[in-house]
């Protein structure tokens, strides 16, 4: 039976998506894990993979066009299959049907709430019904990013069942029970409200058809043709391939929570670690025994810059480039920041001679390769500890002083600019900062950065020194109250001890929101930052 693929909600603020590019055309064979299309959201461009196999029978949104979340994106089924019943009345971006959709969703929610209650009354002895957990205080529904267990697999307490994507992060979800996975209540890539059926675990061979028949996803699909993609009548035959999807088809790395923490503490790039656990999952011993390869150690320290997409020049001919979702949202937010926050700028010139010597010495250590950018990020994080007012946000009738120091690092991508965030930067070592920046900058350019990795910054840094830019100013990345602009290190004559000598200097520019950061406060912050960079050993005091 043909399956309807709907426009996915790829970020918590996404209301519509734009098809940047189709990788399959009508009539093409589609395998599970194949990239169907590139979807532009309000935050990034992400690859959208197929979760089912078949032939692409219908494209609901033309390349370059946008459609609302949950509207028909594509239909996949058997070659030659009649899909007139699915395409009729299911326009890709059905204007004027929003009220009908809303009432249908409300009806669906009521049905789902009832079905959970009914399910609990039908549970056979020894069977455990696992519901979609509430993993954050604002979470209303969760999306199954990946299943790690297949129907029929034996499950032990503590085994990783699935990866759940919430409105804030993607989190590993572990089983609290022993038994056999009898049912998956939500398909991989599908979403379900909190407290609805996620999975059923129990003794092997137990009949849970009565429980499964009341699960929200199926009940919803019986009453509405809006989302028939959630139907799964042949679960046992179709779920096997889904569980066998390789880790390479996902941007997330399978890793245990303990191993992840150890990797962060040691500054290990988890994408370069070979896992020895189940299905290639990285476990504690993999981090303990990890040794960086020579290739990884030789990788350039500073992330390479990605210029804006080149436009062909044709003499006498004007051309147009439609704005991407990413560029539209960047324009909106920068305009809001520039016209709502009273910007002012402070500039200072730093003598980088000792920083150059310190970096050269640090990089002689085994498996260590840091950049000047890493040193600036570290010094900035420690300086923010001493000047918490700079690490604050304007909130109308109050100023919020942030309890964590999370530095956003601006990364240029073809569609504009994104700001991945290093959480708790002041507690990170040089190697951890270096690994974190390389990892997120690389994934930002390959569309692998998740929305939650671009949220929560308390201060931002933009570095154009790699382009030879000596000095520039930036627009504040709200809700931050300041952003640091970093120029190139320039060799030039300087006066030292009354003598003209050759020195290496770098100019920094600090843009401040005058509602939060007064001029004296910003100046004192830059003085502290200058001390740390001109005397790197002072970071240890």
């Amino acid at each position: 039976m043909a399956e309807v693929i709907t426009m996915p909600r790829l970020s918590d603020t996404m209301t519509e998506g734009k098809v940047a590019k189709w990788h399959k055309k009508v009539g093409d064979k589609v395998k599970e894990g194949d990239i169907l299309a590139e979807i532009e959201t309000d935050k990034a461009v992400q690859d959208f993979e197929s979760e089912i196999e078949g032939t692409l029978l219908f494209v609901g949104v033309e390349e370059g066009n946008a459609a609302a979340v949950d509207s028909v994106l594509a239909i996949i089924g058997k070659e030659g299959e009649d899909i007139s019943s699915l395409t009729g009345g299911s326009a890709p971006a059905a204007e004027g049907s929003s009220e009908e959709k809303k009432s249908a969703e409300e009806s669906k929610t009521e049905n789902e709430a009832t079905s959970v209650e009914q399910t609990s009354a039908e549970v056979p002895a020894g069977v455990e019904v696992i519901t979609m957990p509430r993993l954050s205080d604002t979470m209303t529904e969760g999306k199954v990013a990946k299943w790690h267990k297949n129907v029929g697999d034996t499950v032990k307490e503590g085994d990783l069942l699935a990866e759940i994507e919430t409105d804030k992060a993607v989190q590993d979800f572990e089983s609290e029970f022993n038994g056999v996975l009898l049912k998956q209540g939500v398909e991989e890539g599908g979403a379900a409200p909190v407290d609805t059926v996620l999975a059923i675990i129990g003794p092997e061979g137990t009949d849970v058809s009565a429980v499964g028949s009341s699960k929200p996803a199926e009940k919803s699909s019986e009453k509405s043709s809006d989302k028939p993609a959630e139907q799964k009548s042949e679960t046992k035959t179709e779920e096997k391939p889904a569980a066998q999807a390789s880790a390479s088809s996902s941007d997330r790395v399978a890793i245990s929570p303990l191993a992840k923490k150890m990797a962060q503490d040691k500054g290990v790039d988890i994408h370069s670690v070979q896992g020895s656990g189940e299905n290639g999952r990285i476990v504690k011993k993999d981090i303990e025994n990890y040794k960086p390869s020579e290739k990884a150690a030789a990788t350039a320290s500073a992330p390479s810059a990605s210029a804006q997409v080149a436009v062909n020049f044709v003499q006498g001919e004007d051309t147009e480039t439609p704005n991407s979702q990413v560029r539209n949202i960047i324009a909106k937010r920068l305009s809001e920041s520039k016209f709502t926050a009273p910007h002012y700028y402070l500039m200072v010139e730093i003598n980088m001679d000792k920083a150059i010597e310190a970096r050269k010495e640090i990089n002689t250590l085994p498996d260590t390769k840091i950049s000047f950018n890493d040193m600036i990020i570290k010094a900035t994080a420690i300086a923010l500890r001493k000047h918490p007012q700079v690490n604050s946000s304007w909130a109308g009738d109050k100023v919020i002083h942030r309890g964590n120091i999370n530095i956003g690092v601006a990364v240029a991508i073809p569609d504009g600019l994104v700001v991945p965030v290093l959480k708790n930067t002041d507690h990170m070592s040089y190697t951890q900062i270096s690994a974190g920046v390389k990892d997120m900058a690389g994934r930002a350019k390959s569309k692998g950065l998740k929305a939650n990795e671009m949220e929560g910054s308390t201060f931002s840094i933009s570095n154009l020194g790699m382009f030879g830019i000596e000095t520039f100013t930036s627009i504040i990345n709200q809700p931050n109250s300041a952003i640091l602009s970093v120029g190139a290190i320039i060799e030039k004559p300087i006066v030292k001890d009354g003598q003209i000598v050759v020195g290496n200097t770098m100019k920094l520019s600090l843009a401040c929101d005058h509602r939060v950061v007064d001029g004296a406060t910003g100046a004192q912050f830059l003085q502290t930052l200058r001390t740390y960079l001109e005397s790197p050993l002072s970071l240890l005091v």
Side-chain angles (χ1 to χ4, degrees):
M1 181 176 177
E3 299 274 2
V4 174
I5 312 296
T6 57
M7 178 65 73
R9 187 183 300 277
L10 300 174
S11 78
D12 53 350
T13 57
M14 176 179 171
T15 58
E16 69 172 12
K18 179 180 178 182
V19 178
K21 182 179 181 181
W22 279 104
H23 286 262
K24 296 288 182 180
K25 61 180 183 293
V26 173
D28 285 354
K29 297 291 184 184
V30 179
K31 295 181 180 179
E32 183 182 345
D34 282 357
I35 297 177
L36 272 181
E38 295 176 15
I39 307 294
E40 292 184 12
T41 74
D42 57 341
K43 294 184 177 178
V45 180
Q46 299 187 33
D47 291 337
F48 181 67
E49 299 176 358
S50 174
E51 297 166 7
I52 54 179
E53 295 188 1
T55 300
L56 183 59
L57 303 175
F58 177 76
V59 168
V61 184
E62 294 297 325
E63 190 170 293
N65 290 348
V69 168
D70 293 335
S71 58
V72 179
L73 178 64
I75 299 178
I76 296 177
K78 295 180 181 178
E79 188 172 0
E81 185 175 353
D82 181 14
I83 58 170
S84 57
S85 61
L86 299 178
T87 56
S90 297
E95 296 182 8
S97 64
S98 58
E99 290 185 7
E100 294 176 11
K101 267 180 127 45
K102 184 176 180 181
S103 61
E105 288 174 0
E106 290 173 353
S107 173
K108 176 183 171 183
T109 304
E110 291 173 5
N111 291 336
E112 287 170 345
T114 304
S115 67
V116 174
E117 295 171 5
Q118 292 172 349
T119 299
S120 62
E122 300 167 358
V123 176
V127 169
E128 297 287 350
V129 177
I130 300 172
T131 58
M132 178 65 72
R134 187 182 300 276
L135 299 175
S136 77
D137 53 353
T138 58
M139 176 180 171
T140 57
E141 70 172 12
K143 177 181 177 182
V144 178
K146 183 178 181 181
W147 279 104
H148 285 267
K149 292 292 182 181
N150 184 36
V151 171
D153 286 352
T154 300
V155 180
K156 296 180 182 178
E157 182 179 354
D159 281 358
L160 184 61
L161 266 185
E163 296 172 15
I164 307 295
E165 183 176 340
T166 73
D167 58 339
K168 294 184 177 178
V170 178
Q171 300 186 33
D172 292 338
F173 181 68
E174 299 178 354
S175 173
E176 299 175 359
F177 309 103
N178 294 323
V180 172
L181 182 59
L182 303 174
K183 200 84 171 179
Q184 291 176 342
V186 184
E187 294 180 358
E188 189 168 295
V194 169
D195 294 332
T196 53
V197 178
L198 174 64
I200 301 176
I201 294 177
E204 187 174 5
T206 303
D207 181 12
V208 292
S209 56
V211 180
S213 64
S214 298
K215 79 180 182 182
E218 291 184 356
K219 189 163 186 176
S220 169
S221 62
E222 290 172 4
K223 294 197 174 187
S224 171
S225 62
D226 273 356
K227 298 180 83 172
E230 291 182 328
Q231 292 180 340
K232 197 165 185 181
S233 57
E234 299 179 4
T235 306
K236 291 190 178 181
T237 58
E238 293 181 6
E239 284 180 339
K240 282 288 181 185
Q244 294 169 356
S246 65
S248 62
S249 67
S250 171
D251 291 321
R252 262 184 61 77
V253 176
I255 183 171
S256 71
L258 177 59
K260 187 173 184 180
K261 186 177 186 306
M262 290 176 64
Q264 290 174 342
D265 292 342
K266 292 188 173 185
V268 173
D269 179 6
I270 59 177
H271 292 81
S272 62
V273 180
Q274 184 68 38
S276 62
E278 183 181 5
N279 296 324
R281 192 183 190 206
I282 300 172
V283 294
K284 177 183 176 183
K285 67 178 181 180
D286 298 323
I287 303 299
E288 290 177 335
N289 300 331
Y290 173 72
K291 293 182 179 179
S293 64
E294 291 182 6
K295 183 178 179 181
T299 302
S301 297
S304 60
S306 178
Q308 190 172 338
V309 177
V311 177
N312 292 328
F313 175 78
V314 180
Q315 182 68 43
E317 182 180 331
D318 295 340
T319 59
E320 295 179 355
T321 301
N323 288 338
S324 66
Q325 293 286 88
V326 175
R327 185 160 293 281
N328 280 334
I329 202 69
I330 289 172
K332 178 183 176 183
R333 290 178 179 169
L334 289 180
S335 297
E336 288 174 351
S337 177
K338 186 67 175 178
F339 297 126
T340 60
H343 287 54
Y344 72 92
Y345 305 94
L346 301 172
M347 300 182 188
V348 67
E349 191 169 25
I350 310 289
N351 186 324
M352 293 293 287
D353 287 340
K354 289 186 178 179
I356 292 172
E357 293 175 8
R359 175 177 177 263
K360 189 179 296 182
E361 189 169 346
I362 291 171
N363 284 343
T364 60
L365 299 174
D367 305 325
T368 304
K369 188 78 172 177
I370 70 166
S371 67
F372 290 114
N373 197 52
D374 301 328
M375 297 180 73
I376 293 165
I377 292 171
K378 175 69 173 177
T380 300
I382 302 303
L384 287 171
R385 278 189 191 171
K386 293 194 173 184
H387 303 277
Q389 188 71 18
V390 184
N391 196 57
S392 303
S393 300
W394 178 259
D397 59 346
K398 59 189 174 184
V399 173
I400 301 174
H401 306 289
R402 302 297 179 181
N404 294 318
I405 294 173
N406 303 329
I407 294 185
V409 181
V411 175
I413 60 173
D415 282 321
L417 194 72
V418 294
V419 187
V421 181
L422 295 172
K423 303 294 176 65
N424 298 307
T425 320
D426 54 323
H427 295 297
M428 299 175 75
S429 65
Y430 282 133
T431 52
Q432 288 173 321
I433 291 171
S434 178
V437 171
K438 288 176 190 173
D439 170 42
M440 290 196 289
R443 287 189 290 118
K445 293 164 189 173
S446 62
K447 307 168 193 170
L449 203 61
K450 299 191 181 300
N452 65 286
E453 294 177 305
M454 295 181 278
E455 298 172 350
S457 68
T458 61
F459 186 92
S460 301
I461 295 177
S462 179
N463 190 339
L464 291 180
M466 64 189 74
F467 295 106
I469 302 301
E470 292 188 39
T471 184
F472 67 102
T473 58
S474 302
I475 298 175
I476 297 168
N477 179 36
Q478 290 189 345
N480 300 172
S481 61
I483 182 171
L484 185 71
S485 304
V486 181
I489 297 176
I490 304 296
E491 188 177 51
K492 68 176 188 178
I494 63 171
V495 177
K496 187 175 182 179
D497 298 328
Q499 300 292 321
I500 297 178
V501 297
V502 176
N504 295 275
T505 66
M506 177 182 69
K507 291 181 181 178
L508 301 179
S509 171
L510 183 69
C512 302
D513 182 344
H514 215 319
R515 297 173 300 179
V516 182
V517 182
D518 294 332
T521 303
Q524 289 164 1
F525 168 77
L526 282 179
Q527 281 184 335
T528 302
L529 182 56
R530 169 190 254 167
T531 299
Y532 288 150
L533 291 174
E534 291 188 343
S535 304
L537 288 179
S538 61
L539 284 169
L540 305 176
V541 179

